[in-house]
Amino acid sequence: MMSATELAGTAPAEANRVGAIETRGIEPVPADERTGGPRQLFWVWFAANISILGLPLGATLVALRGMNIWQALLVAALGSFGSFALVGLISVAGKWGGAPSMTLSRAVFGPRGNHGPTVVSWLSRVGWETVNTTTAAYALLALISIIFGVGSNSVLTVISLLAFVALTLVVSGLGHATLVWIQQWATYLFGALNILVGAFLITKVDWDAVASAPAAPVSVVVAGIGVIAAGTGIGWANAGADMARYQHRHVPGGRIVAAASVGAGVPLFLLIGLGGLLSAGDGSLASASDPVSAIQVMLPSWMAVPYLLAAFGGLLLSNNLSVYSAGLTMITLGVRARRVVAVGLDIVLTLAGGIYFMLIAGDFYGPFITFISLLAVPITAWVAVFLADMIFRRRYDPRGLMDTTATGVYWYRGGFRWSAVLPWLLGIVVGLLFTTASTSATDVWFSGPLADSWMGRNGLGWVAAFVVAGALYLLFGAASARRLGTASEADRPDNPVDGGPVPVDGERARVDGESAVDGERAAVRP
């Protein structure tokens, strides 16, 4: 049995304050430390999505998929607001359990079965961080060139990367309270710069081309929604509970969903829409290997510095949240390190990835699209199983989340809950049947046997993975999920995470109608 100290962690409540290093890892947050509200989440997700990477996404809708601006705006709205509504739903689970997303996932998949989804989640985070770091380094190199007249070289490239990851380490290393504070106030500054830059970019729009653009088929619009969802909210879905674990337990779930959906949807809608407008008469942005430079050439020279600062700041705000989440994910995987050390390890790997992208790989945007195309499949399969499981539970056993041994309540059979693991795996297999991962026509990483179908051609393999994984879990895992949801120890009024006393050995009830004897653990069967 875990003691109350082991359950609550060694972090005093006052450690989660602005400027102090958050010492709490993945252990559930006690009720008296959950003081957050939806407004915090709104600013966290708003800040994470004001980066310039939204502009190329919008450009692809118009320049590469042939939509008119009204279709592009519809796709931007449904894809961004809708995908972040899923992030909000998973955030509600963070409020229920007070733990990060992938730690809560142990209750669904079992401690060993959860390793697969957690590895995918970590790879996703590191990939997005590498994209952010590389793009920000391009912006910083351009600033150095303008201010000091020094051209780009290998040494300056490494220095630019180091500067960006160092700033990320400061915020993400300090942790939750500092991150929330920085995300809100920095949004005012960099958001204002983005508005200023956007106002000048609008003057470059070819309005005649916008007005004369023909409508694309409905099938293209449907596929476009999937592309935007995969490139925005789906990539953040497995981080939804990481910030929501500090939300007050009595905050309505609908407000948490709205905070994530609106907080991220508003900036994404504006950026994607602007990218679509800019590409109506010029498709260069959609295929640019360096989106920072592609946008910079559209602006007057005196606007270059504000633009590059806005680009750098927006990417930094996104990276802060991603690195914080990645540190928690590494601990969930079993890395025995304090949270701040895990963040540092993640930063080192991100730096290595940035060096590879900028000094070795010849293309930036191609690998980026390839990356999200592949990882969207296992991520959405996990989202489907996790959301389906939420239908049958409202809380999580805090002891079970932290106990990954054979005595844990979530051990199931050998550490695997096969009624969740198998639907996840089968969802991935079906999704990959429709998936093509390539950086060009001649550089194909992977192509599924159904990649030439309509779903395959439009990059919707992740949708197939979502539907199949969710349906199979509801078919095979619903019964055990319902029992787990009603018999969780977290439903007890004296649950220690809710601030009550710790139950003694022998108090736990068996799930299948059996009585616990002499402290024997609950027998939970999938």
Side-chain angles (χ1 to χ4, degrees), residues 137-456:
Y138 279 127
L140 192 55
L141 286 170
L143 269 174
I144 293 173
S145 177
I146 292 172
I147 297 174
F148 300 105
V150 179
S152 174
N153 56 56
S154 297
V155 174
L156 277 180
T157 296
V158 174
I159 292 174
S160 298
L161 290 168
L162 285 170
F164 183 78
V165 298
L167 290 172
T168 301
L169 179 60
V170 170
V171 177
S172 301
L174 287 174
H176 174 265
T178 301
L179 178 60
V180 169
W181 186 85
I182 288 288
Q183 297 294 91
Q184 177 176 350
W185 292 104
T187 297
Y188 296 145
L189 172 62
F190 294 114
L193 287 174
N194 272 295
I195 291 173
L196 178 63
V197 171
F200 278 91
L201 286 174
I202 287 178
T203 65
K204 300 297 182 180
V205 173
D206 185 343
W207 294 105
D208 290 335
V210 171
S212 61
V218 175
S219 60
V220 173
V221 175
V222 173
I225 295 172
V227 170
I228 296 302
T232 55
I234 296 301
W236 283 109
N238 43 23
D242 297 1
M243 299 303 294
R245 64 191 179 132
Y246 281 96
Q247 290 287 292
H248 195 283
R249 291 188 58 222
H250 297 300
V251 173
R255 294 185 63 189
I256 291 177
V257 174
S261 179
V262 177
V266 168
L268 283 172
F269 174 76
L270 295 175
L271 288 166
I272 293 171
L274 179 57
L277 287 172
L278 292 171
S279 294
D282 181 5
S284 59
L285 178 59
S287 57
S289 61
D290 178 3
V292 173
S293 299
I295 297 168
Q296 183 182 345
V297 298
M298 302 178 185
L299 295 167
S301 57
W302 63 271
M303 273 293 296
V305 172
Y307 159 68
L308 293 169
L309 287 174
F312 186 88
L315 291 162
L316 181 62
L317 295 179
S318 178
N319 217 49
N320 290 340
L321 183 57
S322 186
V323 170
Y324 177 82
S325 177
L328 298 174
T329 303
M330 289 181 72
I331 297 173
T332 302
L333 274 173
V335 175
R336 296 185 177 276
R338 292 189 302 166
R339 187 197 59 80
V340 67
V341 175
V343 166
L345 292 173
D346 183 79
I347 284 289
V348 171
L349 293 172
T350 301
L351 175 63
I355 292 173
Y356 169 78
F357 266 123
M358 298 189 72
L359 299 181
I360 300 174
D363 181 23
F364 166 76
Y365 199 61
F368 168 60
I369 294 296
T370 303
F371 168 75
I372 60 176
S373 296
L374 275 178
L375 288 190
V377 172
I379 289 173
T380 49
W382 174 85
V383 170
V385 173
F386 192 89
L387 290 178
D389 182 81
M390 285 178 64
I391 297 173
F392 306 103
R393 81 167 78 229
R394 289 297 177 271
R395 305 196 185 195
Y396 298 82
D397 183 338
R399 279 183 165 74
L401 293 176
M402 298 303 295
D403 189 352
T404 59
T405 69
T407 61
V409 69
Y410 293 132
W411 185 249
Y412 304 114
R413 291 195 175 101
F416 293 85
R417 183 165 175 242
W418 292 107
S419 57
V421 174
L422 290 179
W424 179 67
L425 292 173
L426 291 172
I428 294 173
V429 171
V430 172
L432 291 177
L433 294 178
F434 297 91
T435 300
T436 296
S438 63
T439 59
S440 66
T442 58
D443 183 21
V444 179
W445 294 6
F446 171 84
S447 182
L450 300 178
D452 289 332
S453 64
W454 179 83
M455 290 187 65

Side-chain angles (χ1 to χ4, degrees), residues 2-9 24 27-28 30 398-399 402 495-497 502:
M2 298 182 66
S3 68
T5 301
E6 291 172 317
L7 176 63
R24 181 172 303 285
E27 58 273 12
R399 279 183 165 74
M402 298 303 295
N495 176 2
V497 174
V502 181

Side-chain angles (χ1 to χ4, degrees), residues 87-97 104 240-241 244 252-254 256-257 390 394 396:
V87 176
L89 287 172
I90 293 175
S91 298
V92 173
K95 183 197 73 167
W96 292 345
L104 296 174
I256 291 177
V257 174
M390 285 178 64
R394 289 297 177 271
Y396 298 82

